Amino acid sequence: YKINSDPDGAYFHMEAMFTVRSVDNGSSAMDFDNAEEFYIEAGNLTSKFGSPKIWGGRRMFLERYTTDMNDFVFLNTTFADGVRWADGGGIRDIAVGPGLLDLKLVRVGSDRDIITGEKTYQTNFDVRFDEIEVNPGGRVMLWGLVSTSSSKYDIENTSGFAVGFAHKQADTWGGNNRFMIQYGVGLAREAGHSSVDSSLGQVRSTGAADDLEDAKTFRITNQLIVEPNDSFGMATTLIYESRESKKFDGTDQLWLSAGIRPYYFISDYFRIPIELGVDYVDDKTAGTSGTLVKATIAAEFALTRGVWSRPVIRMYVTHAQWSDSFVGQVGGVVFQEDNDGLTAGIQVETWW
């Protein structure tokens, strides 16, 4: 809902997004805890500092970065799997020097503690200096994060920080490229991947807090999209991630991922995408390493041509094969005793 009665374009915008989930007893509910987004934003209230926008409330999909091919969210400090909400406020699109400054302060509740039944909270202060032009069609984003925790119960308070650098290049053969480096330490060891540390409720001593503050993650991601003509398009993804928190929870893992998905546009409404992806994981703690290779072919129907054209109806066949060391860890219950699997289905995908 948007109110805009000012001739200069000042506005107030309210947005709400709810979900209904079924629990184990089959019942469902829709309440404020199930609100993914519920916020008010005001914009164009001043001509100083560009056109800054002020918001307050609950956000989930704010300025997040993903590698779309494997749906890996590598920067989103207002969302976490299983938690799904962040309450707070911020100011964005503040014109400062060569770019735009975004500031937001949010608080996220972790899963309820198994002993006390209460939540532990993580507070994130996210700072981004974006849209800095560095070359024709190329812009840089600088990112910083400070995270702290708080609890009324026997959870030790802890903290951490993360930093990042992103370069976004337009006009790459009709598409775009996005490259990012991230480094996170301590409570911010997710390096932007999640808004709350999933192990926060385990920090029950000063020793555990010190061990968590020594944890770190280093990540490099790149996503390239090209669409050189009306008949062909392609998406590629590269990910390098190293996680080390041996003293806190035993994690010492390297993950490499690469994928390519060419699109062949047969007509305005029909296209054939083919995808090949490979993931390598070296888990030094478990003493295992291995590879997963996945290949997919699909037939898609959409209203227009283009890699990002949605909505789409997709019929697909996927075959995957993984190392023997991953048997029982990949493929779910159906393939828990196998080192390969085949699946087929129909999907409907849309964005809003």
Side-chain angles (χ1 to χ4, degrees):
Y1 179 71
K2 189 171 184 178
I3 301 175
N4 183 354
S5 58
D6 192 295
D8 294 328
Y11 68 87
F12 272 75
H13 170 86
M14 185 186 77
E15 185 165 323
M17 181 186 299
F18 292 90
T19 60
V20 178
R21 297 187 181 92
S22 177
V23 295
D24 292 341
N25 61 10
S27 65
S28 60
M30 184 174 69
D31 54 27
F32 189 68
D33 280 344
N34 285 336
E36 311 286 12
E37 294 206 328
F38 201 125
Y39 69 92
I40 295 177
E41 179 179 270
N44 296 335
L45 300 180
T46 176
S47 59
K48 296 181 179 180
F49 304 106
S51 299
K53 302 168 183 64
I54 305 172
W55 66 270
R58 176 169 297 180
R59 302 299 295 262
M60 177 177 170
F61 301 107
L62 180 62
E63 299 160 348
R64 70 175 187 170
Y65 284 29
T66 66
T67 55
D68 297 273
M69 190 181 304
N70 52 5
D71 200 27
F72 175 59
V73 180
F74 59 90
L75 181 57
N76 188 356
T77 54
T78 60
F79 169 82
D81 289 333
V83 181
R84 303 184 68 85
W85 56 261
D87 295 334
I91 306 175
R92 62 190 183 93
D93 297 340
I94 309 169
V96 178
L100 298 176
L101 182 64
D102 294 350
L103 307 171
K104 60 175 173 282
L105 182 68
V106 297
R107 190 176 78 154
V108 189
S110 70
D111 291 337
R112 294 187 182 278
D113 182 79
I114 58 175
I115 296 176
T116 66
E118 298 296 328
K119 286 180 178 290
T120 299
Y121 292 93
Q122 180 168 324
T123 300
N124 296 324
F125 179 50
D126 184 303
V127 180
R128 306 186 193 190
F129 194 33
D130 205 350
E131 298 299 317
I132 307 168
E133 186 172 356
V134 293
N135 64 281
R139 298 179 184 274
V140 159
M141 187 271 287
L142 304 176
W143 168 69
L145 174 70
V146 175
S147 298
T148 59
S149 67
S150 61
S151 174
K152 295 185 296 182
Y153 296 88
D154 57 345
I155 306 297
E156 292 289 329
N157 293 338
T158 185
S159 61
F161 73 91
V163 292
F165 166 90
H167 180 270
K168 298 169 284 184
Q169 182 66 47
D171 302 323
T172 55
W173 300 284
N176 58 78
N177 188 81
R178 183 171 59 200
F179 168 83
M180 188 163 189
I181 299 176
Q182 296 162 278
Y183 179 71
V185 177
L187 189 58
R189 63 174 175 159
E190 292 287 344
H193 168 61
S194 177
S195 62
V196 63
D197 192 289
S198 59
S199 300
L200 198 55
Q202 300 175 18
V203 187
R204 297 185 174 277
S205 67
T206 55
D210 292 341
D211 291 342
L212 175 57
E213 291 184 357
D214 288 338
K216 54 184 176 291
T217 295
F218 177 71
R219 180 186 305 120
I220 301 175
T221 55
N222 194 86
Q223 177 172 275
L224 171 66
I225 309 296
V226 299
E227 294 185 274
N229 54 56
D230 290 339
S231 300
F232 179 76
M234 185 174 67
T236 67
T237 292
L238 293 171
I239 301 172
Y240 170 95
E241 182 181 85
S242 174
R243 290 175 174 263
E244 195 278 302
S245 54
K246 290 183 291 186
K247 292 192 294 183
F248 177 66
D249 59 10
T251 300
D252 189 2
Q253 180 177 283
L254 172 67
W255 172 40
L256 305 174
S257 182
I260 183 170
R261 182 192 294 169
Y263 288 80
Y264 300 93
F265 301 108
I266 309 303
S267 71
D268 288 344
Y269 311 115
F270 179 68
R271 62 204 191 186
I272 297 176
I274 301 172
E275 180 180 313
L276 178 65
V278 58
D279 288 82
Y280 171 78
V281 175
D282 183 7
D283 189 335
K284 297 179 178 63
T285 302
T288 61
S289 62
T291 303
L292 181 146
V293 179
K294 178 175 68 71
T296 298
I297 185 170
E300 294 185 347
F301 296 90
L303 296 177
T304 59
R305 298 172 187 254
V307 170
W308 302 123
S309 177
R310 300 295 186 276
V312 63
I313 299 175
R314 178 184 303 116
M315 294 168 284
Y316 70 93
V317 178
T318 295
H319 179 261
Q321 186 166 359
W322 49 93
S323 301
D324 291 341
S325 57
F326 290 161
V327 171
Q329 303 179 58
V330 176
V333 176
V334 176
F335 303 109
Q336 64 181 352
E337 298 180 357
D338 302 318
N339 66 355
D340 72 319
L342 180 72
T343 184
I346 300 176
Q347 298 173 331
V348 178
E349 180 184 353
T350 188
W351 300 345
W352 64 87

